[in-house]
Amino acid sequence: MTDALRPGSGQALLSARHLTTEFHLADKTVARALEDVSFDVLPGQTVGLVGESGCGKTTTLMSVMRLLPSNGRITAGNVYFNGNDLLALSERDMRAHRWKDMAIIFQGAMNALNPVLRIGDQIREAILLHDLMDRAAADRRVDELLELVGIPRGRRDQYPHQYSGGMRQRAMIAMALACSPDLLFADEPTTALDVMIQAQVLELLKEIQKKLGLAIVLVTHDLGVVAEMCDTVVVMYGGKVAEYGSAELVYNQPQHPYTQRLLESFPDLNRPPDSANRDLATIPGTPPRLNALPPGCRFSPRCHMSMDVCAQVTPGKVNVSTGSGVLHQVACHLLNEQEINK
Amino acid sequence: MSAELILEVRNLYKHFPMRQSLLNMFRRRRQEVVRAVDGVSFEIKKGEVLALVGESGCGKTTIARTLIGLEKATGGEILFKGQGVGGDDDTSISLKKLRQRAQVVFQDPYESLNPRATIYDIVSEPLVVHDLIKDDQDRHERVKRALEEAGLRPADDYLLRYPHELSGGQRQRVVIAGAMVLDPELLLADEPVSMLDVSIRAEILNLLNALRRSRGVSILFITHDLGTVGYFADRLAVMYLGRIVEVGPTAEVLKNPQHPYTKALLSVVPAANPKQRRKMVILSGETPNPINLPSGCRFHPRCPVAMEACRATDPSLVELGKGHQAACLLAK
Amino acid sequence: MNESSTPFKRHLRDFWIAFRRNKLGLLGGFLVLTAIILALFAPLLTPYQPTEVIRDEKGRGLTFAPPSVHGPLGTDDAGRDVWTQLIYGARISLTVGFMAGFIAMFVGSLFGILAGYFGGRVDNLLMRITDVLLVIPDLPLMLVLVATVRQMELNISPLVVLTAVIGLLYWTSTARLIRSQVLTIKERQFVDRARAIGAGHMHIIRKHILPQIMPLIVANTVLVLSIAILIESGLAFLGLGDPTKPSWGTMLNFAFDRSAITNGAWWFYLPPGLAIVWVSLGCVLLGNVLEEMLNPRLTGHHLEDGQSMIAVSGKRSE
């Protein structure tokens, strides 16, 4: 398992290496939305990208899919899919990869569905657009997909507005699965949904993953959803990876002060508070603006453990020695200190 | 905590008539109604936080809107400190007076602030509307105090700004400052944190908690997120399809839920720890629309433990001790 | 974020910075502004009176003199200076147009706000009145109205009658536009919040509705001005203007009556025609640009992320 972290390892389905993305803003400044982002997705695995809004979760997704808006550019790094560098491909070849090998479901299911087309027809269009099959075969495929995501066959000819939020998200998932991809990106797939519907959608994703051997990259700010779904977690802050590792380690032995505070600020039903002091932990200040990043560690201005070195030197990634060899990397000077002191 | 009741709601109904087609009118069909709130009773004591929890469409927001008079109740009684609202007799208070003593915090801090008003205009608006402080200097001071109390310090930096210049968390603080500037006795908080990021969510919850402690304000906290409830609410009421199905002290309900719906809701709240993944009770389908309600217990079509009797009997809330009540035939 | 400047000044400055970049808007502003300046300073820009007859050395009226003989725009059939008539006519055309435009805007905004805000019966009543006015053909109606008022010999200046009739008939589209805008604003949460605070209708309309639609009203006023000026010209051309105070439309009417066209006296009919085009084009350009800039739905949103997301998903579905 650990080997997957070393660059160029053969078994990863998707590896991002030192990905750096910049946006040219209207006021002529450059926002460095991503810097040196690296992570791996193994086949059949679920990886969670977490962080507050503006930390670069969605940009990571868009960079990997090469769907950045026109003012965005990947300035360094590589993205390997089954060993092929996606960033070296022509736009045409890339388009072949999208949907067939990796598909995406968005947060606003209503915006992504065409309101004047029947759900079934929209899914069929998605199939016909990417796959060479005749209409009859595509129709059969639509029925298969609808069954897979739990939409009753009778609702195939309905329009998006006749669907509830949860059903729409199911339709989106069906559409994403149209060309049997190996990798599914899900950008805040349950954020606008009620808890019960969220549970249904997450359960569906798990089932599909088991059935199809799909790898999932889940982008969300909900720490609960990540804990529920993910094997591996990438905690992002200010466009960089703060902590990266197996979900169990990141949640139970968080090393980065940002991860620690984030977890403490999450109101968890299963950690009932003592009634004497009910206040949740908070992180003072706001995330940095990406066109005016602080020097050194990007979290240092808000960090409760900040040292002199933090504001001067960007911390490198350190492997947390757990003995078991399970993946856990942290970018924090505190850890360097500890390592040195040992 | 004194036992003084700030708010009493008795048998509140709010039905919205559906638009009827001409054909059906001609056929003398009965007009269909959406039973958004269908017989709800609860009370809030001074300084208490009551959480109203449920999925969207269960009627929790309609309750808040009806309480503050944005919707007219179809039936039932709303008593504010023992006084009816808007009646003609001496014992009732006017709606305007109520709106001075009870304030609303809406869900969406992007939407609930006038984009063309300055922060000063927004926070001072309640004072202007109720014609409370005539002196400009005094009003200025009062607005600044409210902003600083809401955590926007120094207040002078914010007075002349516009909402779009602030972050989501700061905007929600402005909303709270505007609500607290009149020193209300009751705050109706309608999903005040559901649009915010985790760490900001914690800040706003802490702020509300601090206001409750320092000002003794009672809060009706409406949410779909059971996770935040444990940190914040004294009592918890779970709603399903326009009714309260379970109510009681928060710790008691969370530890020992009696209604199958509460149990299911609790089981699907993800824990922030991959080691604690539990068996979830996932209800199939979605909350039915409140037009054609099922017979008997309105939860029975989705209930994992429904019995034959549930089809026929509509259970009412049963006292289970220590103020814990549940509306289920199985609850004892 | 200059601490010393008031929010209003900041608004104005931001607006000007954005406006300056827009070439079409600047052109429109230039066209309208030149017309207003010519009208304002008319007496300084010509040695003659509009009714004064120009005479040659022998004392005869200099009729139909081309610009080459009498500058800059020649004379008409009675020997009056066309340039003088044009800039004095601008005063009449612009005054009637602007007054009528403002009346239309005021009535339209009032109806639109009341109908949209109160809804129900008020809305029904006001909108039915609007509908009736919309379906009656306006030109015949105006002809009849102006003629009737004139028949009654009330001793009102024909220009006042013209202004009133145009103003009171051309507010319908404005009313509909404002109403639809108010309908959406009314549903927004900050209006709910104002109600929940205890604010009354007047307060809500003044503080919450008006500031949102003011930009729309401003932009629409400029557009309605151009319509009012065109209508005034049309009616004056048909002879409903004041012959003693000729506007551009009246000038065209004269030119037409006195066979300027068959005489080839282009300098008599072309300048007023072009002047009308000049001003209404200016108004339309300015109005469109203002609407584009001030319409809250068309300006950028704080959720830039959300926008780029939509753009991206749109691209994908291509």
Side-chain angles (χ1 to χ4, degrees), chain C residues 9-29:
Chain C
K9 270 190 195 154
R10 232 161 70 212
H11 259 329
L12 221 58
R13 200 192 54 208
D14 291 350
F15 175 78
W16 174 239
I17 290 170
F19 184 76
R20 228 171 28 192
R21 287 204 205 114
N22 196 312
K23 297 231 164 53
L24 280 182
L26 281 180
L27 177 64

Side-chain angles (χ1 to χ4, degrees), chain B residues 70-316:
Chain B
L70 292 177
E71 310 284 353
K72 209 168 150 41
T74 314
E77 255 187 309
I78 298 167
L79 298 179
F80 186 80
K81 296 180 91 176
Q83 294 174 297
V85 178
D88 305 322
D89 48 298
D90 298 345
T91 57
S92 71
I93 63 168
S94 69
L95 186 58
K96 183 151 181 169
K97 200 85 189 159
L98 172 79
R99 286 171 169 180
Q100 183 183 331
R101 299 215 215 144
Q103 294 285 320
V104 189
V105 174
F106 289 101
Q107 168 178 20
D108 188 347
Y110 292 106
E111 257 297 301
S112 61
L113 298 177
N114 183 341
R116 289 178 191 275
T118 60
I119 304 307
Y120 177 78
D121 291 338
I122 291 164
V123 178
S124 67
E125 192 174 17
L127 299 171
V128 176
V129 163
H130 291 282
D131 210 8
L132 282 178
I133 299 177
K134 303 241 173 14
D135 184 67
D136 278 353
Q137 194 61 40
D138 289 354
R139 193 189 295 155
H140 205 86
E141 285 307 312
R142 184 90 171 248
V143 168
K144 276 170 70 173
R145 220 167 57 218
L147 283 173
E148 300 206 335
E149 207 174 349
L152 296 172
R153 293 184 206 99
D156 281 326
D157 285 1
Y158 294 92
L159 291 177
L160 292 183
R161 295 232 215 149
Y162 285 91
H164 69 257
E165 297 172 285
L166 306 183
S167 69
Q170 287 172 326
R171 281 169 171 235
Q172 199 59 296
R173 286 174 189 275
V174 170
V175 176
I176 291 172
M180 290 307 292
V181 77
L182 286 178
D183 216 346
E185 290 162 277
L186 176 65
L187 215 52
L188 308 173
D190 186 5
E191 306 253 17
V193 295
S194 66
M195 308 277 289
L196 304 173
D197 256 329
V198 198
S199 69
I200 300 164
R201 187 180 296 188
E203 285 176 22
I204 298 294
L205 286 175
N206 289 348
L207 169 63
L208 287 173
N209 224 344
L211 287 173
R212 182 253 291 261
R213 282 191 296 245
S214 64
R215 300 276 199 96
V217 62
S218 313
I219 302 177
L220 179 66
F221 182 70
I222 294 169
T223 182
H224 68 269
D225 180 9
L226 271 166
T228 52
V229 166
Y231 274 84
F232 191 44
D234 301 304
R235 287 195 305 132
L236 167 62
V238 180
M239 283 193 75
Y240 184 77
L241 272 182
R243 288 263 182 90
I244 290 178
V245 295
E246 182 157 7
V247 60
T250 307
E252 171 68 18
V253 176
L254 293 183
K255 214 183 303 159
N256 188 17
Q258 288 302 310
H259 198 282
Y261 180 64
T262 314
K263 288 179 189 170
L265 264 191
L266 278 173
S267 80
V268 297
V269 177
N273 192 339
K275 275 185 179 164
Q276 290 175 4
R277 288 181 195 164
R278 289 159 306 173
K279 179 87 197 106
M280 298 197 281
V281 184
I282 297 180
L283 301 173
S284 59
E286 302 180 5
T287 316
N289 66 5
I291 301 169
N292 300 309
L293 290 171
S295 66
C297 171
R298 45 192 74 189
F299 184 58
H300 87 258
R302 298 176 76 198
C303 182
V305 292
M307 312 171 296
E308 200 49 45
C310 299
R311 290 171 189 278
T313 322
D314 188 4
S316 48

Side-chain angles (χ1 to χ4, degrees), chain B residues 65 99 114 116 125 130, chain C residues 192 195 197 203 208 212:
Chain B
R65 291 180 63 86
R99 286 171 169 180
N114 183 341
R116 289 178 191 275
E125 192 174 17
H130 291 282
Chain C
D192 267 352
R195 283 173 67 201
I197 285 171
H203 177 93
H208 296 283
Q212 320 295 323

